[in-house]
Amino acid sequence: MQISDLPYPDPGVPDARSGPRFLLWLGRGQLGGQVKSLCWGMLHFGGVAGLPYAVGLGVDAVVDREANRLLLVGGLLVLIGVAISVGDAMLHRTAVTNWITAAARVQQLLARKTAELGSALTRRVAAGEVVAVSTGDVEKIGWFVEAVSRFLAAVFSVVLVCVGLLFYAPELGVVVSIGVPVVALASLPLLPRATRRADIQREKAGKATELASDTVAGLRVLRGIGGEELFLGRYREASQEVRTAAVRSARMWALISAIQVVLPGLLLITVVWYGASLALDGRIAVGELVAAFSAVATLLYPLRHFEEIAMAYSFSRPSAKRAARVLSLTRTDAAERPAQVAPAEEPAAGGDLYDPRTGLLAPAGRFTAVVCGDPDLAGRLAERLGGHAMEEQDADRGGDGDGDRDGDVDRDRDGGQGAKDAPSVLLGGVALDDLELDTARRLVLVQDKDPVLLSGTLRELFDVPASGAVGPGAALAAAQCADVLDALLQSAPDGVDDPMDARITERGRSLSGGQRQRLALARSLVTDPEVLVLDEPTSAVDSHTEARIADGIANLRAGRTTVVLASSPLLLDRADRVVLIDDGTVAAVGTHRELLHREPLYRAVVTRETDEEQRLAGLGLTELEEALTEIEESA
């Protein structure tokens, strides 16, 4: 795999049972690149290892005054220099290629997993952890994959030097062969402590990142209530904890680095002292002493890669563990469906949408409004209607985002009863869980109450998979986005005359909440799915705009199945059918006006009436006067 060939046509199915297994899976997936890197590394480090022997031969030739042999040694040094230079350049090229391709593979896997899980991902894993995995952890995993081949080549050169010295200068070779393993393994006892400190640093950094993300996302609200200083103080405390943890981690790694400097220096002193005594006794030649000294000095270079691989593994292991934890999450349908069962056939167009768990029926081609007294239940129902079965487990657990996520993963693998007991939503009689994920997402689109706008031009915002039956202009008109287009044009640079070419800032922060909500609604209308599920699509707009949006949705979606979860009378009055959900099941069905007259619970949810107001509304004139008198007397 070359960088120019990225992204992968298929990144594969990762082994996400643990962090080390995930790293091993990545390594097996790049055997070709690792072998190339190893071969170039062996050429480079082999040249480095052969350099001391060539220098020793040159010294012996000078001492023996053999000019021809000295010329041969000069030619050998030239070849060794070429080998070192070419090998180093190609080793760097192939190693960086391994790094980038490994990181790209992990990013592809994370992107696919994010698309598969949807909004359920952030309920299973904290947002800060998702950000940490997709940025810093990906780099650390790639670093380890890249360092493996260099480390193996360094091991090859160390072994070559030690074996060569045993034959070239046996007495010094024994000393070097004993000392090198001691130098290489001396820092191993410190690695567990260094790894723990690094883990603590990354954990605190993830929490600080999550806090910063939440603060930025809610900055407008914080300014409104004067809470900036409070959250600034919290982030300051979190950042100081990260700094303290980073300093403690750096101290340990500095100690390991110091050991890697001091011990090779002691070995070099020992070799020089012992070799000098041997040379004085005439037991070795001067060239042999120079070769041994040069060999030990040269070993300092490959020995640094022993420290690097230890650091790379220590940093990448928890990163791989976090990545594996995210990649191990599955939709319940994928976990429960036997491997040999093929996905169901796509249902015929024009089928009803039915949820067996609640009893909710959305007839094909109708505008159905759903009223839930519990906003959280409405959000879970919206995602369930889109085929996201995993939220049932999350709702039962009430994940806090910072809990024992390893335990969550284990419980998911064992299977949560909330998801297992919940039958799948049916579209045209076919279970959404039995369809291919892409097919289910194409047939049923869910827009939650907090949609996200990506940065880019408005034209790019509407560049989404769509049927082509609804254009951006019609969708923007139905969503009442005229003022949004004017605002985008006013903020656009000179020369931009078409609002479709105006840029939207990150998450649409330059727009108001109502403007962002209407643009997201227009984007959903453009896709024109067979079933469109909207969760509170007008909660941030005024009543006059809301009435026009209700008409726009009804007209644009005529003949298409539309489900809106809302409690606004303006939307409910425009719906063909209104369903009241109470305690997780259908409690009443009818039109908005019918339910207002006959269902007290519906009236309480929609009109926000209190129990006392409902009691007074049901009294006659005489009873009402008596009730008012009682209230005045009690007051």
Side-chain angles (χ1 to χ4, degrees), residues 317-525:
R317 184 186 57 79
S319 296
K321 179 181 178 181
R322 281 196 293 267
R325 184 162 54 209
V326 174
L327 295 174
S328 66
L329 299 176
T330 58
R331 296 173 72 238
T332 304
D333 65 295
E336 296 300 318
R337 183 189 300 132
Q340 67 272 19
V341 177
E345 293 291 335
E346 181 176 337
D352 296 339
L353 184 69
Y354 176 66
D355 178 19
R357 183 181 179 88
T358 60
L360 172 63
L361 173 66
R366 305 286 296 279
F367 183 176
T368 302
V370 180
V371 177
C372 296
D374 182 2
D376 292 334
L377 174 61
R380 294 196 299 271
L381 177 59
E383 293 196 357
R384 178 172 170 77
L385 293 176
H388 306 278
M390 191 168 57
E391 81 279 356
E392 304 296 342
Q393 288 175 273
D394 303 324
D396 296 338
R397 273 202 311 268
D400 57 10
D402 291 324
D404 181 8
R405 297 186 185 90
D406 288 332
D408 291 346
V409 173
D410 293 337
R411 286 193 293 272
D412 295 336
R413 289 171 181 167
D414 295 337
Q417 291 303 315
K420 284 185 179 181
D421 296 342
S424 172
V425 172
L426 305 177
L427 177 61
V430 178
L432 290 181
D433 288 351
D434 293 336
L435 296 173
E436 288 284 359
L437 182 60
D438 292 342
T439 302
R441 294 283 171 85
R442 176 173 53 81
L443 294 174
V444 183
L445 174 66
V446 178
Q447 176 182 305
D448 61 24
K449 64 184 64 177
D450 188 23
V452 176
L453 301 181
L454 301 179
S455 60
T457 64
L458 190 59
R459 195 181 308 279
E460 292 170 343
L461 179 68
F462 287 98
D463 185 17
V464 293
S467 66
V470 179
L476 289 166
Q480 301 299 309
C481 293
D483 64 314
V484 184
L485 300 181
D486 293 338
L488 289 174
L489 270 182
Q490 290 176 4
S491 62
D494 296 337
V496 177
D497 300 325
D498 188 348
M500 297 299 292
D501 294 326
R503 293 195 64 82
I504 300 173
T505 57
E506 181 186 2
R507 299 179 67 92
R509 299 192 190 281
S510 61
L511 303 173
S512 67
Q515 290 173 329
R516 290 196 298 269
Q517 194 174 58
R518 282 177 283 160
L519 277 181
L521 174 60
R523 178 180 58 187
S524 298
L525 293 174

Side-chain angles (χ1 to χ4, degrees), residues 41-103:
M42 291 172 66
L43 176 63
H44 170 64
F45 284 106
V48 172
L51 190 60
Y53 303 114
V55 172
L57 291 175
V59 172
D60 287 338
V62 171
V63 171
D64 297 339
R65 299 180 180 276
E66 295 183 6
N68 292 334
R69 190 165 53 147
L70 185 61
L71 288 175
L72 292 176
V73 171
L76 178 60
L77 287 173
V78 171
L79 292 177
I80 291 176
V82 172
I84 292 175
S85 300
V86 175
D88 188 26
M90 296 306 298
L91 171 62
H92 178 75
R93 178 185 178 89
T94 53
V96 171
T97 300
N98 291 336
W99 183 341
I100 294 176
T101 51

Side-chain angles (χ1 to χ4, degrees), residues 612 615-634:
E612 184 64 20
R615 186 180 71 82
L616 293 176
L619 298 177
L621 180 58
T622 303
E623 295 171 324
L624 181 59
E625 290 176 350
E626 294 175 355
L628 291 175
T629 302
E630 292 177 1
I631 294 174
E632 290 175 356
E633 291 176 353
S634 62

Side-chain angles (χ1 to χ4, degrees), residues 227-263:
E228 304 102 307
E229 290 300 325
L230 174 62
F231 274 82
L232 181 60
R234 291 181 180 177
Y235 181 74
R236 186 181 292 113
E237 293 177 1
S239 63
Q240 289 302 312
E241 291 180 1
V242 174
R243 181 189 64 82
T244 303
V247 170
R248 293 186 72 247
S249 177
R251 285 173 179 169
M252 185 56 63
W253 288 111
L255 177 60
I256 293 175
S257 298
I259 291 174
Q260 293 294 322
V261 172
V262 172
L263 291 184

Side-chain angles (χ1 to χ4, degrees), residues 198-213:
D199 290 345
I200 293 173
Q201 175 194 350
R202 281 188 290 272
E203 180 182 355
K204 292 184 179 298
K207 291 181 178 179
T209 302
E210 183 178 358
L211 179 60
S213 176

